[in-house]
Amino acid sequence: MSVTLSPPDIREAPPLPEATARPVRSERRQRLSRLDVKASPYLYIAPFFVLFGLIGLFPLIYTFVVSLYDWDLLKGQGPFVGLDNFAAVLQDRFFWNSLFNTFSIFLLSSIPQLVMATVIAAVLDQNLRAKTFWRMSVLLPYIVTPVAVSLIFTNMFNEQYGLINNILGAVGLDPVMWKTETLPSHIAIATMVNWRWTGYNALILLAAMQAVPRDIHESAALDGAGSIRRFFSMTLPSIRPTMIFVIITATIGGLQIFTEPRLFDPITAGGSARQFQTTVLYLWEMAFFRQNFGEASAIAWLLFLIIVVIGALNFLLSRRIASAEVRNSRRRSRRKLERMRTAESAAGAAPITATATALEATPPTGQENRS
C-alpha cells in the first residue's frame, strides 16, 4: 500500500495592514528626531573645535615640545635638555623684570578700564537722546588700528615736544620723562590700552545691563530705592557672569600685551634700560634676536601657566563673592520673615489685650445695680 504525500499548502503571508505600518514609521521618525537632537549640536560646534585644535591646541603642544630641546632659529632642533630651558628662564633677571613690567601695566590698565567701562555702560543704559550715536562713538577707539593709536600717543607723550609736556610747562611744572622712567612709561602705555579697549568692554557690559528685567527696577523704585542703590544692589549682581567674562578677557589681553609697548619706542623695543619691556616683548627678543627658540618656548609656557592660574583665581574669587551674597540675602530674607511673623503675632494679640483691658475696666451689670 503506497501513500502519496502532497506538498504543503504554501500561502503568501497577508500584507501588513496600513494601521500596523504607520506606528513603525512613526517610531523610526522619533528615533531619528532623538538622534538629531542629541548629535546635531555637536556637529554645529565641531568647526570651532577643529579650528581650535589646528590654531590653538597644536601650537600649544608643539611649543611645549620645543621648550624641551636646545632649539636654534637657524640650526633647528638640538639635543634634548628636559626642563633646563625653564630653569634658565627662571634664573634670568630680565624675565623677572619683564614680568614686573607686565603686571604693572596690567594693573594700571585693567582696573581703571573696567571701572570706566562699567560707568559708561550705566550711563548708556539710561534714556538718552541719540543712543545709537553715543554707542557708536564709544566704539570708535576700538576700530582705530593699534599703529595709529601708538603714533598718536607717542607724539603726545614725547619728552621734548609732546603735547602733555608742553601743557605741563605752560602751567609751570617740570616735564615728565615718559620714555625714560619706569612708572611714567607704564602710565603712558596703560593710557593707550584704556583708550582703545574701554568702549569695547562698555558695550559688552551694556548688553548685559539691558538684559536685566525692567520690572525689578520699577518695583525697587516704588519701594523707595534710588538709582545708585539699584545699580549696586540689582544691576551689578545681575551682570556678574558678564563681568567675570570681561575680567578674564582683560586679564588675558593685559598679560599678553605686545603692540603698545613695541610701538611706544620702536628703536629700543622696551626702553633703553628695559623699563617697559613686557614678557611677550622679551619672548620676541629671545626668539628672533637671540635665536633661542627653546627658552622662548619656555617663556611662552610660563606665561600661559600664569594666565591660567590668575584666571582660576578670578573665577574662584567671583564664586566666593557670589556665594557670600547669596548667604547674606538668605539671612536678610529670614530676618524679614521673622519680623513679619513677630508683627503678625503682635497684631493678632493686640485686639485680645485691648478686649481684656476693657473687660477689666467695665464693672459687671449686677454690681452697677447694687451701687
Side-chain angles (χ1 to χ4, degrees):
M1 181 177 180
S2 62
V3 179
T4 305
L5 298 176
S6 61
D9 188 8
I10 301 174
R11 299 178 181 179
E12 294 183 356
L16 293 173
E18 187 177 357
T20 308
R22 286 180 180 176
V24 175
R25 294 177 183 175
S26 63
E27 186 178 355
R28 289 179 181 177
R29 290 177 182 176
Q30 290 178 359
R31 290 179 180 178
L32 290 176
S33 63
R34 287 196 297 266
L35 181 63
D36 179 60
V37 170
K38 293 181 179 180
S40 58
Y42 296 98
L43 295 177
Y44 295 149
I45 63 176
F48 166 76
F49 286 101
V50 172
L51 291 176
F52 174 75
L54 292 176
I55 66 176
L57 188 60
F58 173 74
L60 186 65
I61 298 175
Y62 188 72
T63 302
F64 181 73
V65 173
V66 173
S67 67
L68 301 177
Y69 290 87
D70 186 9
W71 202 295
D72 188 81
L73 175 63
L74 299 178
K75 298 178 182 179
Q77 181 179 349
F80 179 80
V81 295
L83 300 177
D84 290 345
N85 288 326
F86 290 90
V89 170
L90 292 175
Q91 295 175 0
D92 190 357
R93 61 185 182 91
F94 293 144
F95 169 74
W96 294 105
N97 175 71
S98 67
L99 204 61
F100 168 76
N101 294 334
T102 301
F103 274 96
S104 176
I105 296 172
F106 163 69
L107 293 176
L108 290 173
S109 60
S110 297
I111 296 176
Q113 179 186 145
L114 294 175
V115 173
M116 290 187 295
T118 306
V119 173
I120 292 172
V123 173
L124 293 177
D125 194 30
Q126 306 300 320
N127 293 325
L128 301 176
R129 295 182 179 178
K131 293 182 180 180
T132 306
F133 170 76
W134 293 113
R135 292 170 186 174
M136 292 302 297
S137 300
V138 168
L139 194 61
L140 281 178
Y142 175 74
I143 301 174
V144 180
T145 59
V147 177
V149 174
S150 301
L151 289 175
I152 294 171
F153 279 90
T154 300
N155 292 326
M156 289 178 59
F157 289 104
N158 194 292
E159 296 179 351
Q160 296 181 355
Y161 307 106
L163 175 63
I164 297 178
N165 279 345
N166 288 334
I167 295 174
L168 293 177
V171 177
L173 300 176
D174 295 332
V176 179
M177 298 293 101
W178 297 107
K179 295 183 180 180
T180 305
E181 299 179 358
T182 302
L183 183 59
S185 62
H186 293 181
I187 293 174
I189 296 172
T191 304
M192 287 191 286
V193 176
N194 291 334
W195 187 83
R196 187 165 182 263
W197 289 97
T198 300
Y200 174 80
N201 292 325
L203 288 184
I204 295 177
L205 295 175
L206 175 62
M209 289 180 184
Q210 290 183 340
V212 179
R214 298 297 176 182
D215 299 338
I216 302 176
H217 290 277
E218 293 176 358
S219 61
L222 291 175
D223 291 338
S227 58
I228 299 177
R229 179 67 182 274
R230 294 199 305 269
F231 177 75
F232 284 101
S233 300
M234 301 173 59
T235 304
L236 287 182
S238 300
I239 65 171
R240 185 182 294 109
T242 307
M243 185 69 71
I244 295 172
F245 170 77
V246 171
I247 290 173
I248 292 176
T249 54
T251 302
I252 295 173
L255 295 179
Q256 291 181 346
I257 184 171
F258 174 79
T259 306
E260 287 82 1
R262 175 68 182 88
L263 296 177
F264 185 63
D265 190 1
I267 299 175
T268 59
S272 57
R274 301 176 185 267
Q275 62 268 18
F276 56 90
Q277 185 184 51
T278 59
T279 305
V280 181
L281 266 177
Y282 183 59
L283 187 154
W284 175 69
E285 176 189 347
M286 182 66 70
F288 296 102
F289 284 89
R290 301 188 187 183
Q291 300 179 359
N292 191 341
F293 263 34
E295 292 190 11
S297 301
I299 294 172
W301 254 89
L302 288 173
L303 182 61
F304 168 72
L305 294 177
I306 291 171
I307 292 174
V308 169
V309 170
I310 294 177
L313 289 176
N314 287 333
F315 180 73
L316 294 176
L317 182 62
S318 61
R319 286 190 62 182
R320 179 168 296 183
I321 293 173
S323 61
E325 289 183 355
V326 170
R327 288 195 297 269
N328 292 332
S329 64
R330 288 178 180 176
R331 291 174 184 174
R332 288 194 294 266
S333 62
R334 289 174 184 173
R335 292 175 183 174
K336 289 180 180 179
L337 287 175
E338 291 177 357
R339 291 174 184 174
M340 291 175 63
R341 289 173 182 173
T342 306
E344 288 177 358
S345 61
I352 300 173
T353 306
T355 306
T357 306
L359 289 173
E360 291 177 357
T362 305
T365 310
Q367 188 176 0
E368 286 180 354
N369 294 331
R370 287 175 187 176
S371 61

